[in-house]
Amino acid sequence: MDAQTLVDERGELWLALAPLWLEREPRETDYAHMVNVIQRHDLSVRELEWVFRLELAPVLSRHQMSVAGEWRSFDDYKLMKQLVAHNLRLNGWRRKSWALFSGLTTMMTRHRWNELMGRVLVERGEVP
């Protein structure tokens, strides 16, 4: 897959979910926006989990761990470049490594992710 295809297929979703890693708790409007974008992408909860764990967390968790990291907002262009670069390399042993360590890269945002997935399930008429 090339960079433009990644941006076309995942860019909107990635940028919508990035606030899960910000310093502040997401607001109701943030969660509503995330749910709307997720609904447009028509991914299963399982597929969304892998987007969270493999496509986003390895890049965004670095911002949380960095002393000089961006905690209040992200530069969308810079973030998209980082996400595309990561995802273009995400195959074979890299994919397996990130899957193995995804518990570490998601632990600081897991509570927000669980809240979001509960809202997605309610929106879809499923039992959370």
Side-chain angles (χ1 to χ4, degrees):
M1 186 175 302
D2 65 273
Q4 188 59 52
T5 303
L6 272 173
V7 171
D8 293 345
E9 289 182 6
R10 291 283 207 251
E12 179 190 31
L13 182 63
W14 289 341
L15 292 179
L17 297 177
L20 293 171
W21 278 268
L22 292 176
E23 178 179 24
R24 64 172 174 73
E25 287 295 320
R27 298 188 263 323
E28 287 298 317
T29 55
D30 295 325
Y31 279 120
H33 175 68
M34 289 180 223
V35 169
N36 286 335
V37 171
I38 286 170
Q39 292 298 85
R40 283 196 301 270
H41 282 81
D42 195 34
L43 297 170
S44 71
V45 172
R46 182 175 169 84
E47 290 168 320
L48 289 166
E49 178 71 23
W50 286 110
V51 168
F52 173 64
R53 291 171 61 183
L54 297 179
E55 296 178 18
L56 291 169
V59 174
L60 290 162
S61 63
R62 291 180 197 145
H63 287 273
Q64 286 181 317
M65 299 301 181
S66 172
V67 174
E70 291 293 321
W71 267 81
R72 299 208 181 273
S73 66
F74 293 113
D75 174 336
D76 289 350
Y77 180 75
K78 182 179 175 184
L79 179 60
M80 188 62 66
K81 281 177 53 175
Q82 292 170 337
L83 289 165
V84 167
H86 165 74
N87 282 279
L88 286 174
R89 294 187 310 268
L90 190 60
N91 52 41
W93 68 270
R94 280 190 174 99
R95 185 174 204 79
K96 290 175 184 169
S97 295
W98 284 120
L100 180 64
F101 293 106
S102 64
L104 294 172
T105 60
T106 61
M107 72 179 163
M108 293 177 71
T109 56
R110 179 55 68 178
H111 66 288
R112 295 172 180 176
W113 180 256
N114 291 341
E115 173 68 24
L116 176 60
M117 288 300 96
R119 292 169 185 245
V120 167
L121 290 174
V122 167
E123 181 70 21
R124 292 179 177 181
E126 299 175 26
V127 178

